[in-house]
Amino acid sequence: MSWKNIFELLGGLGLFIFGMKTMGDGLQKAAGNRLKKILETLTRNRVFAILVGAFVTAIIQSSSATTVMTVGFVNAGLMDLFQAAGVIMGANIGTTMTAQLIAFKLTDIAPLVLAIGTIMVMFGKRKRTKDLGGIILGFGMLFVGMKIMEKSMRPLTELDEFKNLITTIGQHPIMGVFVGLGMTAVVQSSSATIGILQALAGLNAMPLAVALPILFGDNIGTCVTALLASIGTSKNAKRAALIHLTFNIIGTIIFMLILPVVVKLIPVLGGDIKRQIANAHTMFNITNTLIQAPFIVFLVKFVNWLIPGKEDKEDVMTLEHLDRRLLETPSIAVGQLVKEVIRMGRLASKNLSTAIDAIINEDENAIKQVFNTEEVINFLEREITGFMVALSNTSLSEEQSELVSGLFHVVNDIERVGDHADNLAELAQYKIDNKLPFSESAISQLTKMYETVKFAIDSSIEALENTDFIKAEDVIETEGKIDELEKRFREDHIDRLSRGICNPVSGTVFLDILSNLERIGDHANNIAQMVLDQKEELYA
């Protein structure tokens, strides 16, 4: 086998994997937010969890990506191990879709499919056309890559060393399991290594009895991606990755014990050798799931035994809804991003309330609480912004791209709300240290101003969370009222000063408080305007 053949094999493999990714990206864009909603409806029902895992993997064309995403969900506390186990089992079923597609004899028309996809992506006017073109383009690349791999491996079938290896694996099937495990661990894609198996089998270079142990090993090898992704995560996330590994090891042991039966059964289902390998892959994962699904509770107990102990106490300086592993599935990552921004917004709103309480009740503990929470808000601003930068470089639909761009501004506005709450806490401390009195009229006006601003910021966050255009319009209207209140209360304060019923230093603090509250109203208005901009994009 010459260097040219090796380069062709690597190039064909690269095109095959890139084709899978392109097809998956196109399907994700076409699915849009529906993919996120499907996962959000996940319940403890193991059957539904399995179906969701299979569907999502069929869409994104990678069980590794689904499992890594599941590890991310568990790490973020959004999914427990029982749900994760079901999704992982379903992911193993969904990944068999690629092998079934490869079994169709479409390599001859692949260049035409490639041309059609390219034309749709480059010259399509509508977003849907481009998304569909991406799916077709990826589909074509997958088969062109397959054709190149088959051509490059043809000389391999004539080598005595290769023939001896096949004979050895036939005599020692357990060796085939380790070959498959190693291949997939290196390539990081069971679909790609099974594609290589199908290519070799298509050249009559590998009988089914030899291919099957390698195929079973491929399923174990694909667990390496999730295990690597679990490094540095919570104990539960590590357990989720171990569930994936345990599931495939148990399945491999079962199928290796009945290997002679499987070798005789698969040809009965019909089809050429490529189809037989695809059918064996599907049978392995469906049967494995049917056997193990009723025992998920024992699977969870087993991984809890392997990794004992409870989760460490959560640090407030953490992201509750985001995890870098979610970047594997951008459409889901966008949904989680919105949730984290909402969390940040609610923290800022709560800090505003705590700061006003500190002013009115002269509560120094409340002041400390504001400063502590402000540190968390600043942490979230940095981490969320970093996540958004990474997310912007992934494959997003036009609508998702617009949303992420808008959220950059929202995060900045929320961070500024936190800054103003921090300013209010400093004013509260100054008021306490200098024993500055506030008249009943001033307290009443501050309370009125605060309640109006609080309504605006809370409503803007709710509008963002629920894409509520009516509530967003209410915020725009309320912001006008906030400006009117600030103007009126300033005039009333000047009147109190002129009548000598107000301490001048207290008055300065009072005006600073009004100014900070009015600016918070401006930021609430900005957030609401971003939501309304989405409405314009939606109906443009």
Side-chain angles (χ1 to χ4, degrees), residues 3-147:
W3 283 107
K4 180 185 176 185
N5 295 126
I6 293 171
F7 292 152
E8 283 181 345
L9 174 60
L10 292 174
L13 180 62
L15 194 59
F16 181 94
I17 294 172
F18 188 65
M20 276 199 306
K21 184 180 185 307
T22 303
M23 187 162 61
D25 288 347
L27 284 163
Q28 275 198 71
K29 287 180 181 179
N33 292 331
R34 289 189 292 275
L35 197 60
K36 175 177 72 77
K37 289 175 182 175
I38 287 167
L39 269 169
E40 284 179 342
T41 58
L42 187 66
T43 67
R44 288 183 176 272
N45 184 304
R46 69 188 71 181
V47 175
F48 190 68
I50 291 166
L51 292 174
V52 167
F55 178 79
V56 170
T57 304
I59 291 291
I60 64 178
Q61 290 289 297
S62 171
S63 62
S64 296
T66 303
T67 308
V68 166
M69 175 192 69
T70 303
V71 168
F73 273 129
V74 172
N75 192 51
L78 302 168
M79 188 182 288
D80 62 31
L81 287 175
F82 294 94
Q83 292 170 317
V87 174
I88 288 166
M89 289 179 182
N92 277 38
I93 295 172
T95 196
T96 64
M97 178 73 70
T98 309
Q100 292 291 352
L101 285 174
I102 294 168
F104 289 106
K105 297 176 181 178
L106 300 176
T107 50
D108 289 340
I109 65 165
L112 176 62
V113 174
L114 206 60
I116 293 169
T118 302
I119 290 168
M120 291 176 73
V121 169
M122 292 187 67
F123 303 108
K125 300 294 183 184
R126 297 174 59 195
K127 174 182 163 294
R128 186 173 290 277
T129 304
K130 288 181 178 290
D131 290 343
L132 181 59
I135 298 169
I136 295 171
L137 182 62
F139 190 68
M141 281 193 285
L142 189 148
F143 280 99
V144 169
M146 188 74 183
K147 190 172 185 178

Side-chain angles (χ1 to χ4, degrees), residues 424-535:
L424 290 170
E426 289 175 357
L427 290 169
Q429 189 66 60
Y430 184 80
K431 179 175 179 286
I432 293 168
D433 292 344
N434 293 278
K435 297 182 174 58
L436 299 176
F438 272 17
S439 66
E440 286 186 14
S441 176
I443 293 291
S444 174
Q445 289 180 343
L446 282 182
T447 302
K448 173 68 175 173
M449 183 76 167
Y450 155 71
E451 287 173 351
T452 310
V453 170
K454 174 73 171 168
F455 172 80
I457 190 67
D458 285 346
S459 295
S460 67
I461 298 300
E462 286 176 31
L464 176 64
E465 181 177 25
N466 304 313
T467 320
D468 189 333
F469 302 126
I470 294 174
K471 196 158 285 275
E473 287 168 354
D474 288 343
V475 175
I476 304 295
E477 186 180 335
T478 302
E479 204 275 327
K481 294 178 183 176
I482 291 169
D483 289 344
E484 291 173 8
L485 286 175
E486 197 231 3
K487 182 180 178 183
R488 193 173 82 219
F489 292 162
R490 278 182 180 277
E491 290 172 353
D492 289 347
H493 167 67
I494 292 168
D495 180 60
R496 286 195 296 273
L497 275 177
S498 64
R499 288 189 286 133
I501 59 173
C502 178
N503 182 314
V505 181
S506 296
T508 302
V509 173
F510 175 81
L511 291 177
D512 282 346
I513 293 170
L514 282 183
S515 178
N516 277 281
L517 288 172
E518 190 274 331
R519 286 173 187 169
I520 290 173
D522 290 341
H523 293 298
N525 182 79
N526 292 343
I527 296 169
Q529 190 58 59
M530 177 267 180
V531 176
L532 292 176
D533 288 343
Q534 280 185 272
K535 181 181 179 181

Side-chain angles (χ1 to χ4, degrees), residues 257-327:
L257 290 173
I258 60 169
L259 183 61
V261 177
V262 178
V263 171
K264 289 179 181 178
L265 179 62
I266 293 298
V268 174
L269 299 175
D272 61 10
I273 187 70
K274 285 186 180 180
R275 178 64 66 191
Q276 288 172 20
I277 290 173
N279 289 340
H281 191 208
T282 303
M283 178 188 286
F284 172 86
N285 285 294
I286 291 178
T287 306
N288 200 10
T289 298
L290 289 173
I291 292 170
Q292 295 191 54
F295 302 103
I296 283 177
V297 63
F298 297 107
L299 202 55
V300 171
K301 283 182 179 179
F302 177 66
V303 295
N304 281 331
W305 175 75
L306 287 176
I307 303 179
K310 295 181 179 179
E311 291 289 353
D312 298 329
K313 188 177 179 182
E314 283 192 18
D315 186 351
V316 288
M317 291 289 191
T318 56
L319 295 168
E320 286 187 2
H321 304 288
L322 294 181
D323 188 290
R324 290 271 168 171
R325 297 156 191 83
L326 300 180
L327 293 170

